[in-house]
Amino acid sequence: MSLTRTFARWLLGAALVFTGTAHLTFAREAFVAQVPSWLPIPVDVTVVASGVVEIALGLALLVLGRWRVAVGWIVAAFFVAIFPGNIEQFVRGTDAFGLDTDLARGIRLLFQPVLVVWALWSTGAWKAWRARRRDC
């Protein structure tokens, strides 16, 4: 694993730990704005649970280097799973995280696939998948 990929994995892990902590503390209200209205789970439960999951995933990226490929796929799946929250914020036009225009919220939507690619690239998950397909 290259130093660049390792650094990128650690940076993503630290960002997830920070964001997960924000879910549970100072940015709780902002995260409430992203919970889809159609979700059949109480909003606060969703915010707390997703924060705990983000912290766990971030720590996994930081300390479980041996299982980084599996963790990469799980983190990428998590980013896909939370995407409806970003869509909900855009559709409802909810201001949160400094995103106070449709343009800003729309640009944020475009960043979600970048996070998925970041998780897969920085953990070597994409490379491992391609190598496995090539060997079959």
Side-chain angles (χ1 to χ4, degrees):
M1 179 81 10
S2 75
L3 184 58
T4 304
R5 284 183 195 235
T6 300
F7 178 75
R9 186 180 86 242
W10 289 345
L11 185 61
L12 183 58
L16 282 170
V17 170
F18 175 80
T19 304
T21 302
H23 274 73
L24 307 177
T25 57
F26 64 90
R28 193 177 222 150
E29 284 300 315
F31 285 106
V32 165
Q34 292 188 302
V35 177
S37 57
W38 48 264
L39 200 63
I41 302 169
V43 172
D44 203 47
V45 171
T46 302
V47 171
V48 170
S50 61
V52 169
V53 169
E54 282 193 56
I55 292 168
L57 291 175
L59 290 173
L61 285 169
L62 292 169
V63 300
L64 297 180
R66 183 176 178 191
W67 292 283
R68 70 183 183 280
V69 170
V71 171
W73 285 110
I74 294 166
V75 171
F78 175 77
F79 287 141
V80 171
I82 64 171
F83 190 59
N86 298 336
I87 294 171
E88 181 82 1
Q89 183 181 7
F90 177 77
V91 169
R92 282 195 297 184
T94 307
D95 295 346
F97 305 110
L99 305 173
D100 55 3
T101 66
D102 286 341
L103 178 62
R105 289 184 287 271
I107 290 170
R108 174 133 191 282
L109 290 177
L110 300 175
F111 189 65
Q112 201 71 14
V114 172
L115 291 173
V116 172
V117 169
W118 186 355
L120 296 176
W121 175 80
S122 70
T123 60
W126 185 256
K127 185 177 182 179
W129 179 75
R130 284 192 349 239
R132 203 169 319 154
R133 285 192 66 209
R134 190 176 49 242
D135 293 341
C136 291

